[in-house]
Amino acid sequence: MAVMCGIVGYVGEKRAQDVVIEGLRRLEYRGYDSAGIALVATGTIASDKRAGKLANLEKAIADRPLPPATVGIGHTRWATHGAPNDVNAHPHSGAQRRVALVHNGIIENFAELRVGIEADDVALLSETDTEVAAQLLEAEVLTGADLTTAMLRLVNRLEGAFTLVAVDALDPSRVVAARRNSPLVVGIGDGENFLGSDVAAFIEHTREAMELSQDQVVTITRSGVSVRNFDGSSAEGRRYHVDWDLSAAEKDGHDWFMRKEIHEQPRAVADSLLGRRTPEGRLHLDEMRLSDQELRDVDKVIIIACGTSFYAGMVAKYAIEHWTRVPVEVELASEFRYRDPILDYSTLVVAISQSGETADTLQAIRHARTQRSKVLAICNTNGSTIPRESDAVIYTHAGPEIGVASTKGFLTQLVACYLLALYLAQVKGTRYGDEIDEVMRQLEAMPDHIATVLASADAIYAMAAEHVDTRSVLFLGRHAGYPVALEGALKLKELAYIHAEGFAAGELKHGPIALVESGLPVLCVVPPAGRDQLRDKMVSGIQEVRARGARTICLVEDGDDAITPYADTVIRLPKVPVLLQPLVAVVPLQLFACELATRMGHDVDQPRNLAKSVTVE
Ligand code: F6R
């Protein structure tokens, strides 16, 4: 039924089957419950669709080849309701197989539309809202409307969130798509054009792209792209150049995208720091778009995000409060608007999202804007919805993150959070210029520190190998190390499917210590020794769990030997300030989870039940 997924469309001179399947392969991280393709071939729709990963579809097509065609659409699905079986897979067609349609999102009024269709004695094959839309689109085309007109009529009858992409068996000249609250970008080629949920779908063919606004219908032909608003008026999409290429979307010799992305982190962090200072040494953020006065008026910051991005937000709280003295709340985006948060024009809402499409975060942003708050997005995906609906944006420059588990996305979010905190400090005058300079210099040294941690990956891998039979792992941290502990636990849960919990070390004795039993691995993120109080309290926590039989694995700053007597294993971290420590401390935890999951035989890039961009609430 309702889904969030990857969508591809193509019209040109090449074999559409190859372009569509290749595009789906690059979008498979968005969902991989089922996949399907439809081609326009000499007056008919030729299609196939299969439950399971794309490989199942590819095998089916290899066994029963589709006819040659140069126009096609494809879909890879992540089911929200409705079993991921062959029938529910996309594309869907009308009863006469005149059109084929793929869909990402939820059509909320589909039940009522379905009743109308069934009243006309049309039997629907699947349980999906998509088939209802296909049926309605076909009915419009059968009245003689061209596919673009039919799509415009259709979208005005639909409620909810959707990207739709369709072809007409009798019109091999075009592919037509529509978007409302769901992602879609256009790829501009030479004698060919593309549609995709994101640019990865067509990056092999073109780096010229066009973003669309909400509530628009786009028609691509071999020679052009035309955009219309849902009310029928004509519109223009914004064209942009994609600044990464195919090699960034390949594994580069690694077994997993995730492992490649972990190793890309020094570069990703360096890229995210590039160009942030004027020749005079002042911080400058490209798309800040909020005036200094607006920022000076900010008296409260609320950070909203989900999952790993939420943990980046937790680190941001420590940095922003420390450097600016402005109070910061961090809230799960999915909880935010339902508690009727107190917001006004002097609240700065910061939305952190790698994909820029997370529905929970998007809805929270929309709520904040209705309350007149300014919204700043921290995002990795140019052209995505969240930055477009925000007042300002800090783009991270991680490059495409394909592995479902966020790694370089997280590190570059941290960088963006530090930059934001320092920028606020500069504008509000809560830190002197030379203090800001000093932190910038420390940040600029981080890529080398991260590379140092990566250089000892083999030691972490050996440790992971010893844990393949582990059923449960705890992670402890304090201060900025606490979100790192949470992130370490999340990585292990989502990749290795084993029980893992992150705790603030001080909370342990208030309950969780009861979980500790002989041999339980406990990973401890130890604060830098310069923070004696924090570090010493952490040492006590480590002693407490060790005394109860835990096996302690301690991430400790180079040169700090106070922990050694209580650590079964020591992992050395470069010496960095406490606020920046998450940038190095999380890396061994990423490597640990990646390796452990690999050794357990799991698919690291596409963990079960997950999808990369969660475009449903
Ligand atoms: C975990 C992970 C997720 C995302 C979360 C938010 O490895 O990747 O927890 O962090 O779904 O996604 P974005 O940042 O795209 O909004």
Side-chain angles (χ1 to χ4, degrees):
M1 211 148 105
V3 287
M4 77 171 187
C5 6
I7 280 183
V8 182
Y10 175 70
V11 48
E13 303 296 340
K14 298 184 179 127
R15 242 167 76 100
Q17 176 180 318
D18 298 343
V19 177
V20 169
I21 294 288
E22 193 51 43
L24 291 179
R25 200 183 335 276
R26 299 195 192 290
L27 293 183
E28 211 185 0
Y29 69 90
R30 302 177 69 90
Y32 33 83
D33 286 339
S34 56
I37 182 170
L39 305 173
V40 177
T42 50
T44 56
I45 300 281
S47 68
D48 207 334
K49 52 189 193 171
R50 299 289 154 154
K53 293 199 175 184
L54 184 60
N56 294 358
L57 175 68
E58 287 180 280
K59 180 168 181 313
I61 300 176
D63 293 348
R64 206 170 52 94
L66 295 170
T70 55
V71 183
I73 59 176
H75 188 270
T76 174
R77 177 174 190 251
W78 186 81
T80 49
H81 334 278
N85 55 27
D86 288 356
V87 175
N88 286 337
H90 298 211
H92 289 277
S93 284
Q96 302 193 24
R97 288 188 62 79
R98 172 72 189 268
V99 301
L101 177 86
V102 294
H103 166 218
N104 173 16
I106 298 173
I107 297 168
E108 284 169 2
N109 60 333
F110 101 98
E112 157 195 336
L113 294 170
R114 186 180 179 103
V115 171
I117 292 170
E118 284 170 341
D120 291 339
D121 266 355
V122 175
L124 293 164
L125 303 176
S126 75
E127 291 298 311
T128 65
D129 49 354
T130 308
E131 192 185 357
V132 170
Q135 195 62 48
L136 293 173
L137 186 69
E138 181 166 282
E140 295 293 351
V141 168
L142 291 173
T143 66
D146 65 47
L147 192 60
T148 307
T149 311
M151 183 68 90
L152 280 165
R153 290 188 194 149
L154 169 67
V155 291
N156 283 299
R157 297 181 62 185
L158 304 181
E159 289 165 18
F162 48 83
T163 300
L164 302 169
V165 181
V167 285
D168 173 357
L170 298 186
D171 184 357
S173 72
R174 71 178 88 192
V175 179
V176 178
R179 88 168 279 238
R180 165 176 284 169
N181 289 337
S182 205
L184 181 68
V185 283
V186 183
I188 317 272
D190 188 8
E192 57 183 356
N193 285 302
F194 307 82
L195 295 164
S197 299
D198 67 44
V199 294
F202 48 74
I203 194 71
E204 188 180 350
H205 305 282
T206 179
R207 289 166 69 180
E208 298 310 310
M210 179 190 283
E211 70 177 35
L212 300 169
S213 300
Q214 296 298 350
D215 292 1
Q216 289 187 330
V217 165
V218 59
T219 304
I220 59 166
T221 61
R222 283 176 186 79
S223 56
V225 177
S226 76
V227 184
R228 308 263 291 270
N229 295 311
F230 279 7
D231 64 11
S233 58
S234 63
E236 296 281 334
R238 185 184 74 88
R239 287 183 66 149
Y240 62 100
H241 182 74
V242 182
D243 59 6
W244 48 272
D245 60 16
L246 183 60
S247 67
E250 302 283 1
K251 284 189 203 154
D252 215 13
H254 290 280
D255 51 350
W256 304 112
F257 279 112
M258 181 189 178
R259 207 182 305 263
K260 169 184 171 239
E261 288 162 6
I262 292 173
H263 284 275
E264 282 172 348
Q265 291 180 122
R267 164 102 339 257
V269 166
D271 286 352
S272 297
L273 284 164
L274 269 184
R276 307 295 195 179
R277 289 208 269 182
T278 65
E280 299 74 46
R282 283 182 69 77
L283 268 182
H284 163 79
L285 301 177
D286 262 357
E287 305 207 36
M288 171 46 76
R289 298 196 294 247
L290 295 174
S291 69
D292 286 2
Q293 192 52 51
E294 282 172 312
L295 291 177
R296 276 194 283 271
D297 287 344
V298 167
D299 59 11
K300 180 167 82 172
V301 175
I302 303 186
I303 300 176
I304 47 175
C306 305
T308 291
S309 303
F310 175 75
Y311 301 144
M314 289 176 72
V315 176
K317 174 182 166 76
Y318 291 100
I320 298 173
E321 290 189 340
H322 182 67
W323 289 328
T324 71
R325 312 308 300 152
V326 175
V328 181
E329 293 171 24
V330 192
E331 175 129 18
L332 291 169
S334 54
E335 289 293 318
F336 178 69
R337 68 183 165 137
Y338 300 102
R339 69 163 171 102
D340 195 12
I342 301 168
L343 295 164
D344 62 28
Y345 67 91
S346 58
T347 311
L348 177 66
V349 171
V350 178
I352 308 179
S353 175
Q354 187 284 130
S355 64
E357 300 293 349
T358 300
D360 289 315
T361 310
L362 185 59
Q363 293 304 343
I365 289 175
R366 289 180 178 161
H367 179 77
R369 296 196 72 190
T370 63
Q371 307 296 301
R372 299 189 305 142
S373 295
K374 292 277 180 277
V375 176
L376 179 141
I378 290 178
C379 184
N380 192 43
T381 314
N382 200 315
S384 61
T385 310
I386 285 175
R388 247 205 340 273
E389 295 207 8
S390 300
D391 299 291
V393 47
I394 301 178
Y395 280 111
T396 52
H397 296 291
E401 192 176 63
I402 310 285
V404 163
S406 184
T407 52
K408 61 178 181 171
F410 178 63
L411 256 65
T412 55
Q413 286 168 346
L414 292 175
V415 170
C417 291
Y418 297 130
L419 289 171
L420 172 64
L422 293 173
Y423 190 78
L424 284 172
Q426 173 178 286
V427 171
K428 285 174 168 283
T430 51
R431 291 281 145 168
Y432 292 118
D434 58 349
E435 292 172 310
I436 294 174
D437 262 4
E438 175 58 21
V439 182
M440 283 303 289
R441 269 196 297 277
Q442 290 164 343
L443 276 171
E444 281 154 5
M446 293 313 284
D448 285 345
H449 291 317
I450 297 165
T452 304
V453 178
L454 288 170
S456 50
D458 284 345
I460 315 277
Y461 293 160
M463 187 178 84
E466 289 164 15
H467 286 83
V468 275
D469 296 321
T470 300
R471 306 257 317 273
S472 175
V473 180
L474 301 189
F475 292 76
L476 302 183
R478 288 191 88 100
H479 192 266
Y482 170 39
V484 174
L486 293 171
E487 171 63 1
L490 178 61
K491 285 286 149 304
L492 212 51
K493 280 185 256 207
E494 64 182 338
L495 299 175
Y497 318 144
I498 60 180
H499 171 249
E501 298 261 9
F503 294 109
E507 268 296 292
L508 207 64
K509 53 190 173 299
H510 300 289
I513 198 161
L515 289 169
V516 176
E517 55 190 17
S518 177
L520 177 80
V522 181
L523 274 124
C524 311
V525 184
V526 181
R531 287 301 184 97
D532 330 350
Q533 274 204 347
L534 274 178
R535 201 272 311 256
D536 293 351
K537 292 265 159 50
M538 187 74 197
V539 177
S540 318
I542 295 170
Q543 283 173 295
E544 283 159 22
V545 291
R546 192 130 189 281
R548 287 159 180 82
R551 200 140 42 86
T552 54
I553 301 159
C554 300
L555 278 62
V556 188
E557 171 180 86
D558 236 350
D560 179 2
D561 292 321
I563 307 287
T564 327
Y566 315 109
D568 291 293
T569 307
V570 171
I571 297 169
R572 292 289 171 190
L573 297 176
K575 216 170 160 51
V576 297
V578 67
L579 276 171
L580 306 190
Q581 200 197 34
L583 284 172
V584 288
V586 79
V587 177
L589 307 186
Q590 297 168 337
L591 291 167
F592 180 69
C594 179
E595 183 66 11
L596 186 54
T598 306
R599 288 186 177 256
M600 292 170 85
H602 299 317
D603 184 334
V604 167
D605 283 336
Q606 298 182 343
R608 69 185 182 202
N609 305 339
L610 294 176
K612 182 74 183 161
S613 83
V614 185
T615 54
V616 289
E617 269 186 276

